[in-house]
Amino acid sequence: MAFSAFLLCRCALALNPSLDISQYAHTAWNIRDGAFRGIIFAIAQTPDGYLWLGTEFGLIRFDGVRFTPWQPPTGQQLPSSVVRSLAVSRDGRLWIGTDRGLASWKNGELSNHPEVAGLWVGPMLVDREGTVWAGAMDGTNRGRLCSIRSDRLRCDPEGNNLGLGVISLYEDTRSSLWAAGVDGLWQWRPAPPKFHRMQDSVTGLMESGDGALLIATSRGISQLVGGKLEPYQLPGVRRPFALRGLFRDRNGGLWIGTHDRGLLHLHGGKMDAFSRSDGLSGNLIMAFFEDREGNIWVATHDGLDRFRDFAVTTITLKQGLSADTVWSVLAARDGAVWLGTSNGLDQWKDRQVSYYGKPNGSPNNSVGSIFEGQDGRIWASTYHGIVCLENGRLLSVSTELAGHIAWSLAGDGTGSLWISQNDSLICLRGTSVLQRIPWAKLGHKDWALSLTPDSARIGLWLGFKDGGVVHFQDGNVDASYTGAEGLGAGFVEALRMDRNGAIWAATQGGLSRIIDGRVSTLSSKNGLPCDTVHWSIEDDDHSLWLYTACGLMRVARGELDAWVADQRSKIQVTVLGEQDGVRSRAVTNWYSPLAAKAPDGRIWFVSLDGVSIIDPRHLPANNIPPPVHIERILIDDKESPLKPGMRLQANIRNLRIDYTALSLVAPERVRFKYMLEGQERDWHEAVSDRSVQYTNLRPKYYRFRVIACNNSGVWNETGDTLEFSIAPAWNQTSWFYASCVATFLALLWGLYRLRLYQIAREFNAQLDGRVDERLRVARELHDTMLQTFQAALIQMQAAYNIFVRRPEKTGESLEKAINTAAGAIAEGRSAIQDLRLHAAGGGDLVQLITTAGQELARSEEASGNPPVLGVTVEGARRDVAPLIQDEVYRIARELLRNAFHHAQAGRIEVEIRYDSRQFRLHVRDDGKGIDSEVLKAGGRAGHYGLPGMRERANRFGGKLDFWSEAGAGTEAVLTVPAAVAYGGSNGGRFGFLRRKLWIHER
């Protein structure tokens, strides 16, 4: 077995030695509940605050919340997974004894010690000089005692064997080293070793308060006094029983582990027990340990238990009360505390309970409200009337009051006793009832729950069940306060007058203060966690204690004075809850008093399972800052080894950091603050969470910091730190960003150049259009008007020649010349009209071509036989790009003009086809046709009509083909790809690009 204490600093806490085990805060972790695996053989605590548990399945590290199986570094292992003993040396090294050897662990390094390889290593001890002692046993069942100094291990010579092995080691206050084995007891130091044979197997050693060596055996406890063995009698123990070990805590309490009876606790000369029936994880005790904060840890064969002090101690039936149900508590002037219970009247004095049973003639033992008179006599209410304690007996005072519950008792300073019952307020003097005042006379249908005398003036204060406070004097109510005056709503469960003459009323709506006719109420609006107040009391330091529906609260004097000066101010309160030993209640019983302050300053108050006590001047405070550790880091749910300045891979989606703080008193009340520098600017606070997760962190350097405070609010401001950086992905590197910037600038430059190109192209296009138009006009003038003028000159020359030779023929020649000149004028007018023609991109192409044909037809009506024009459309009409439509229109008009003027046709047909693949314009006539040689040559020499139309079509991506035979007419076909003809209406977002590419290929 392992029984040890962890003495780290003088400020460490310790359990109150005057309490029974059942009065400590107890927490159990059971193997059956899955808390951990395996029986615990040993417990130790390293300087970093972790609790280490040696089990049959290896080591477990415990932070108060999480049991973490310990894994050795890769490639290393313990001599065996069965860990029998643990010890921590002064340098912080954890020594691990197994059933196949010894190992040690420090700073992340595991060391195995070959000197004891293969040996069963049992109990270990670190003496006052820092030497580590270990008991071992070899394969021949011979015991050996080994010592470790300055990391050098040395075992005793073979001659000094320890029989069948070492079971227990102990160093007493005189620095004597004791080693117990199966055969007996060795005093190993001072040398030479001395052997004391024992009849029974020794299971544990410990020193008594008077310096004797206590020896636990399989049959009880013996003591070694002056070299002689003597029996050691435990209080209240009559039969021998098997012991498993002994342990003494820092305050002298002796803990005894048994084989089948759980724990025994010897303190202050008395013994108490705690077993599985009381909540212990098991009755077979395996190990004891006291940590640096004063918690007592007990390992059993079924689990692990922790015992610690409560801030509030509760006295119950186990400590000698006549009943667990306590109705009222009264602190008498002589230092005794009186309790009204469901089984009678109890007196607690000098840590002893005296019981006063039922009053004479009463079939019911229950005592409700209690009161101490001016003469020191104790008065109490029962269901059968008022009783008084005289000569150690409860005597009935008045049978007139039987059958009614007395809720509250109070004196008025004149020797009279006032009693609040359901139907009336009663004044009792001696055994006589002087007054019986119905509640209706006091303006109430309900009864008073609380009474208190007015020490500042004559009279009585009454607090009522349905709310309201009145001041009663000389048979009348001279002051009344309700919610209208600011009194708290609901029950008035307790009244108290302070040293300044103010009345404090505990109500369901807060704590009300009445002074000089003014009422102010302290409630949740002023900082109280809840409104319902059951009672209030002032301690010796003038701080105010309140028992409320959400726990016991302390309001410091300064906070209270600030609120009295300004009722709008907020106050700070200290709240004690169930983790501090306080059980909260929404509704209490209505007897009184519910709380009392004893002459020693301790406050006693009624609880659910007895009576509770708090000492305001000796509240347990944990002054040890908790060590803080960052335990691990998980990257996308995979754990990564912790290293200073670690560099993490790129593209991390989730990063989780687990941390902890080692305060084992109340781990659930440890508070944390953490911050990731580089990502966050402020601290984040957490209470129960011990991990934090970040997502999609950018590649950069980070510093994670975490600090924590213990259950008493003591902070470890240094905490722990983890520095790491996240590597950038290829698209997060500087060169990538530089490339993006360069690409962006190049794109801007390209867009700028493209815009310049577009402007230049538009300008050149306009210029080319003007040049093309001038060329067309030049061709028109050359092919039409100039030719006509030339013909007219020829005719005029012929007329002149005829006039010389044959004057009679001159008129006919001149007429022909005049007609030719008129034709030239018409052709010139037509050319001028073409120059003034607007772009055709704004109208319907079919309508434009039809209109152009009709105009040409009207111009030919002078000849008397104009051709017939027909226009047909195939396919669903679609919008043609404006520029393309203008070009197509000009080509169509040119084709129609040639057909009307030169073809000598009787019919001209225009066919327009809208196709998904291309746009098609077909113009044909039934005229005289075009000579095949002219078509092959692309036009007549000196004429630019046909070449000009082909050039115009090619320029925007179209194709113009001609077919003709002499006497069979002429056909012209213009095709334009859909991507070019329909523009954005056909190509989607890439139509413009495809159109440009198609034109470029053309």
Side-chain angles (χ1 to χ4, degrees):
M1 292 186 64
F3 305 99
S4 55
F6 187 92
L7 302 176
L8 184 64
C9 67
R10 296 179 181 176
C11 58
L13 302 173
L15 297 185
N16 185 343
S18 65
L19 302 180
D20 295 343
I21 298 178
S22 61
Q23 292 178 285
Y24 297 133
H26 171 237
T27 305
W29 294 268
N30 293 287
I31 297 175
R32 288 185 176 89
D33 295 336
F36 52 88
R37 289 182 64 209
I39 298 174
I40 298 172
F41 297 123
I43 308 173
Q45 188 176 31
T46 45
D48 57 11
Y50 283 107
L51 203 67
W52 295 86
L53 311 176
T55 77
E56 57 186 319
F57 294 109
L59 269 177
I60 294 176
R61 191 181 70 183
F62 185 45
D63 65 354
V65 176
R66 296 180 291 220
F67 292 91
T68 305
W70 177 81
Q71 297 296 330
T74 304
Q76 294 181 284
Q77 60 183 3
L78 294 173
S80 169
S81 63
V82 181
V83 179
R84 296 289 180 179
S85 57
L86 297 171
V88 178
S89 54
R90 289 183 177 179
D91 61 354
R93 183 177 297 275
L94 177 67
W95 294 88
I96 308 163
T98 76
D99 60 0
R100 289 184 176 272
L102 179 67
S104 61
W105 170 259
K106 182 181 179 182
N107 297 332
E109 296 183 2
L110 180 67
S111 301
N112 286 300
H113 299 271
E115 298 89 343
V116 290
L119 298 185
W120 184 93
V121 178
M124 289 194 292
L125 170 75
V126 181
D127 67 16
R128 292 179 177 83
E129 297 176 354
T131 301
V132 179
W133 296 87
M137 184 171 62
D138 60 20
T140 61
N141 291 333
R142 289 187 305 170
R144 303 175 67 184
L145 186 60
C146 304
S147 61
I148 306 166
R149 297 183 182 91
S150 303
D151 294 336
R152 294 182 60 185
L153 190 148
R154 178 181 176 276
C155 293
D156 63 282
E158 292 293 333
N160 290 329
N161 76 77
L162 293 166
L164 296 179
V166 178
I167 296 176
S168 180
L169 290 172
Y170 180 71
E171 183 185 26
D172 63 23
T173 55
R174 295 178 294 274
S175 297
S176 296
L177 182 64
W178 299 85
V182 176
D183 301 330
L185 177 66
W186 287 85
Q187 184 179 1
W188 201 258
R189 195 179 60 194
K194 297 177 183 179
F195 180 70
H196 302 269
R197 185 168 298 280
M198 302 288 297
Q199 294 181 353
D200 301 308
S201 176
V202 178
T203 58
L205 302 171
M206 186 57 59
E207 198 169 6
S208 67
D210 57 6
L213 183 67
L214 301 180
I215 306 167
T217 71
S218 57
R219 295 176 57 84
I221 299 180
S222 300
Q223 59 180 341
L224 187 63
V225 180
K228 295 182 180 181
L229 288 172
E230 298 179 358
Y232 184 82
Q233 187 63 39
L234 294 174
V237 177
R238 295 176 182 157
R239 292 184 301 173
F241 56 92
L243 301 184
R244 291 283 299 171
L246 302 174
F247 176 79
R248 190 175 296 279
D249 62 33
R250 293 175 196 152
N251 280 340
L254 182 63
W255 298 68
I256 304 169
T258 73
H259 191 272
D260 57 3
R261 297 175 59 178
L263 290 172
L264 299 179
H265 184 218
L266 181 60
H267 60 104
K270 68 174 186 175
M271 179 84 73
D272 63 283
F274 197 83
S275 64
R276 186 189 287 274
S277 62
D278 300 303
L280 194 67
S281 62
N283 282 335
L284 175 58
I285 306 303
M286 305 300 298
F288 286 104
F289 181 76
E290 184 174 18
D291 67 26
R292 64 178 189 163
E293 294 172 292
N295 302 297
I296 299 295
W297 298 84
V298 180
T300 74
H301 71 294
D302 278 337
L304 179 68
D305 298 78
R306 181 193 64 199
F307 297 92
R308 64 175 178 86
D309 265 339
F310 274 134
V312 175
T313 302
T314 299
I315 299 175
T316 66
L317 195 66
K318 290 183 178 182
Q319 283 72 50
L321 297 187
S322 62
D324 279 337
T325 302
V326 177
W327 300 119
S328 56
V329 56
L330 171 72
R333 290 186 288 272
D334 63 356
V337 176
W338 295 88
L339 308 174
T341 77
S342 60
N343 198 36
L345 183 66
D346 292 354
Q347 182 197 56
W348 177 278
K349 191 172 184 181
D350 299 328
R351 303 192 59 80
Q352 299 294 324
V353 178
S354 300
Y355 169 64
Y356 300 88
K358 62 184 180 181
N360 293 341
S362 171
N364 192 325
N365 290 8
S366 182
V367 171
S369 299
I370 49 182
F371 170 75
E372 182 184 20
Q374 289 180 328
D375 56 1
R377 289 196 299 174
I378 301 299
W379 299 76
S381 69
T382 71
Y383 187 74
H384 295 277
I386 303 299
V387 298
C388 179
L389 183 66
E390 287 189 4
N391 299 321
R393 300 181 63 187
L394 289 176
L395 302 177
S396 295
V397 174
S398 174
T399 57
E400 292 184 54
L401 306 180
H404 295 280
I405 298 175
W407 298 112
S408 183
L409 308 176
D412 60 4
T414 65
S416 298
L417 179 66
W418 291 88
I419 305 167
S420 171
Q421 291 190 332
N422 288 355
D423 59 347
S424 59
L425 176 66
I426 297 170
C427 180
L428 183 70
R429 179 169 292 181
T431 60
S432 303
V433 175
L434 299 183
Q435 296 184 67
R436 185 184 293 270
I437 305 170
W439 294 117
K441 186 176 180 181
L442 303 182
H444 279 265
K445 297 180 181 180
D446 55 331
W447 61 87
L449 292 178
S450 53
L451 306 175
T452 191
D454 189 339
S455 58
R457 51 179 177 157
I458 299 175
L460 197 68
W461 288 93
L462 297 87
F464 286 86
K465 179 182 75 71
D466 293 339
V469 172
V470 303
H471 185 263
F472 176 77
Q473 182 178 349
D474 297 331
N476 297 305
V477 173
D478 59 3
S480 178
Y481 304 93
T482 64
E485 287 77 30
L487 189 74
F491 305 147
V492 180
E493 296 188 54
L495 293 173
R496 178 181 61 87
M497 176 169 280
D498 66 15
R499 63 187 186 281
N500 297 319
I503 286 290
W504 295 84
T507 77
Q508 290 181 303
L511 182 65
S512 297
R513 179 177 183 265
I514 305 172
I515 190 169
D516 298 332
R518 296 188 301 272
V519 181
S520 53
T521 299
L522 180 66
S523 67
S524 57
K525 296 179 181 179
N526 305 103
L528 293 184
C530 55
D531 286 330
T532 300
V533 180
H534 300 305
W535 52 260
S536 70
I537 200 166
E538 189 177 64
D539 64 20
D540 289 342
D541 294 328
H542 306 301
S543 292
L544 188 65
W545 291 84
L546 315 176
Y547 184 54
T548 72
C550 49
L552 182 65
M553 302 180 192
R554 175 183 177 271
V555 184
R557 180 77 253 175
E559 296 286 333
L560 191 64
D561 289 343
W563 174 77
V564 170
D566 180 7
Q567 281 78 35
R568 296 171 299 179
S569 63
K570 297 277 188 178
I571 64 171
Q572 298 291 326
V573 299
T574 300
V575 182
L576 302 181
E578 293 192 5
Q579 296 171 337
D580 304 291
V582 179
R583 297 186 63 178
S584 303
R585 300 185 65 180
V587 179
T588 62
N589 76 82
W590 289 342
Y591 291 111
S592 66
L594 297 174
K597 185 181 72 172
D600 60 4
R602 295 191 300 170
I603 296 174
W604 295 63
F605 60 94
V606 173
S607 63
L608 284 172
D609 52 355
V611 62
S612 295
I613 310 167
I614 187 168
D615 189 344
R617 291 187 174 179
H618 298 91
L619 293 176
N622 186 355
N623 297 318
I624 303 174
V628 181
H629 301 288
I630 296 173
E631 294 190 321
R632 62 176 182 165
I633 182 170
L634 284 84
I635 302 168
D636 293 332
D637 298 327
K638 294 182 180 179
E639 186 172 355
S640 180
L642 288 174
K643 298 178 182 178
M646 58 192 305
R647 184 170 177 83
L648 309 182
Q649 76 266 18
N651 293 323
I652 294 176
R653 295 187 302 274
N654 296 303
L655 185 143
R656 194 182 92 186
I657 300 175
D658 291 349
Y659 53 83
T660 190
L662 283 306
S663 178
L664 304 179
V665 174
E668 64 278 3
R669 299 178 70 175
V670 172
R671 303 203 319 270
F672 297 90
K673 289 182 180 180
Y674 63 85
M675 176 172 57
L676 182 61
E677 295 179 359
Q679 177 77 6
E680 300 163 335
R681 294 184 178 181
D682 298 320
W683 291 96
H684 296 270
E685 188 164 352
V687 177
S688 58
D689 292 337
R690 296 193 176 211
S691 66
V692 61
Q693 185 165 318
Y694 297 96
T695 58
N696 300 320
L697 290 176
R698 294 185 302 165
K700 60 186 297 187
Y701 166 84
Y702 295 97
R703 186 168 180 257
F704 180 77
R705 296 179 58 199
V706 57
I707 59 177
C709 74
N710 62 19
N711 59 304
S712 295
V714 177
W715 283 92
N716 179 343
E717 298 288 352
T718 303
D720 200 5
T721 301
L722 175 63
E723 297 180 356
F724 63 92
S725 61
I726 298 178
W730 66 269
N731 59 344
Q732 295 174 320
T733 57
S734 300
W735 65 263
F736 176 78
Y737 291 140
S739 299
C740 290
V741 172
T743 302
F744 178 71
L745 294 176
L747 180 61
L748 288 179
W749 176 252
L751 292 174
Y752 170 71
R753 296 294 299 174
L754 177 62
R755 182 56 182 161
L756 290 180
Y757 168 76
Q758 290 176 340
I759 294 174
R761 187 173 178 276
E762 290 175 2
F763 175 78
N764 292 333
Q766 293 177 0
L767 184 61
D768 290 345
R770 293 179 181 179
V771 172
D772 290 344
E773 193 62 25
R774 290 175 181 270
L775 291 175
R776 188 188 68 78
V777 172
R779 289 193 297 268
E780 291 291 333
L781 293 177
H782 179 271
D783 293 344
T784 57
M785 189 171 67
L786 293 180
Q787 294 291 338
T788 304
F789 272 119
Q790 185 176 5
L793 288 175
I794 294 173
Q795 290 174 354
M796 289 181 184
Q797 183 64 42
Y800 173 75
N801 294 335
I802 292 173
F803 178 76
V804 174
R805 296 193 303 270
R806 299 172 63 186
E808 67 281 3
K809 297 286 187 178
T810 303
E812 183 179 350
S813 297
L814 289 175
E815 183 178 0
K816 291 181 180 179
I818 292 170
N819 290 336
T820 300
I825 293 172
E827 290 174 352
R829 185 180 297 112
S830 178
I832 293 171
Q833 182 179 2
D834 285 344
L835 286 174
R836 298 177 60 87
L837 187 66
H838 294 291
D844 181 66
L845 181 61
V846 176
Q847 183 63 36
L848 291 172
I849 293 175
T850 302
T851 302
Q854 292 173 351
E855 290 178 352
L856 291 171
R858 285 194 297 270
S859 67
E860 292 295 320
E861 289 179 356
S863 65
N865 190 22
V868 178
L869 175 66
V871 179
T872 60
V873 178
E874 294 184 7
R877 295 191 182 188
R878 304 179 66 173
D879 293 333
V880 180
L883 293 177
I884 304 303
Q885 179 171 298
D886 183 65
E887 296 293 339
V888 171
Y889 168 70
R890 291 183 181 276
I891 292 174
R893 193 170 185 279
E894 182 72 14
L895 292 173
L896 289 175
R897 181 162 41 206
N898 288 341
F900 272 101
H901 290 175
H902 305 297
Q904 299 177 4
R907 183 173 181 81
I908 301 173
E909 294 181 355
V910 178
E911 181 183 291
I912 301 173
R913 176 177 293 178
Y914 295 95
D915 193 84
S916 61
R917 297 176 59 188
Q918 64 182 6
F919 172 83
R920 184 169 178 268
L921 174 70
H922 189 183
V923 180
R924 57 178 173 266
D925 63 63
D926 58 359
K928 62 182 181 180
I930 304 175
D931 188 84
S932 59
E933 296 298 330
V934 174
L935 284 178
K936 289 180 180 181
R940 291 187 177 89
H943 290 256
Y944 301 99
L946 295 182
M949 286 187 287
R950 281 197 174 99
E951 291 173 2
R952 185 184 293 273
N954 289 335
R955 189 167 60 246
F956 64 82
K959 182 180 180 183
L960 182 61
D961 295 319
F962 288 93
W963 177 88
S964 182
E965 289 186 2
T970 303
E971 292 188 17
V973 179
L974 172 66
T975 57
V976 184
V980 176
Y982 307 131
S985 65
N986 187 69
R989 66 177 66 180
F990 301 108
F992 172 79
L993 179 60
R994 289 199 295 267
R995 183 166 68 252
K996 294 298 183 183
L997 292 175
W998 196 93
I999 294 174
H1000 177 71
E1001 292 174 358
R1002 296 284 299 178

